[in-house]
Amino acid sequence: PAVETAPSSGGASGAPAIKTTTANESKNIEAQLAAFQLEEEAIIKMLLLGAGESGKSTIFKQMRLLYGTERSDEDLRMYGVVARSNIVVAMRKLCSHLRNLGLEEELDRE
């Protein structure tokens, strides 16, 4: 309920008084609640359980790709940046391991 400060007669001044709602306001609130409830019921919720590294995030991402909203150009650009970064990191690790194992010459021969 909304709270208003109303002067009181004889009591402590400034005591909070509860605002009464009219029947019309009450109907509007109930209509909003019903609309929110319908909106909430339309949302499909899924709980993914599993051990670490079992693929929960992968399943979630696949579901979003298949049934979610369209990706914006900004989302696609961001995915491209992440993919390129992952490729660069993987190649650096691979080159580092090749050096550590002394296999750089093998690469030159191929």
Side-chain angles (χ1 to χ4, degrees), residues 43-102:
I43 296 172
I44 297 172
K45 297 178 183 177
M46 184 184 307
L47 175 64
L48 299 174
L49 300 174
E53 302 295 320
S54 64
K56 298 178 296 292
S57 294
T58 303
I59 294 290
F60 177 73
K61 289 174 187 174
Q62 287 296 316
M63 294 295 286
R64 250 187 34 206
L65 284 172
L66 293 173
Y67 304 108
T69 57
E70 292 287 322
R71 301 292 156 251
S72 68
D73 287 341
E74 183 61 32
D75 286 341
L76 295 175
R77 272 190 226 100
M78 189 258 321
Y79 292 143
V81 167
V82 170
R84 281 188 290 280
S85 173
N86 289 345
I87 290 168
V88 168
V89 167
M91 289 302 296
R92 285 182 178 162
K93 285 183 181 180
L94 182 60
C95 290
S96 173
H97 290 307
L98 283 172
R99 274 190 216 107
N100 291 342
L101 295 172

Side-chain angles (χ1 to χ4, degrees), residues 1-18:
V3 176
E4 289 183 346
T5 303
S8 63
S9 57
S13 66
I18 297 177

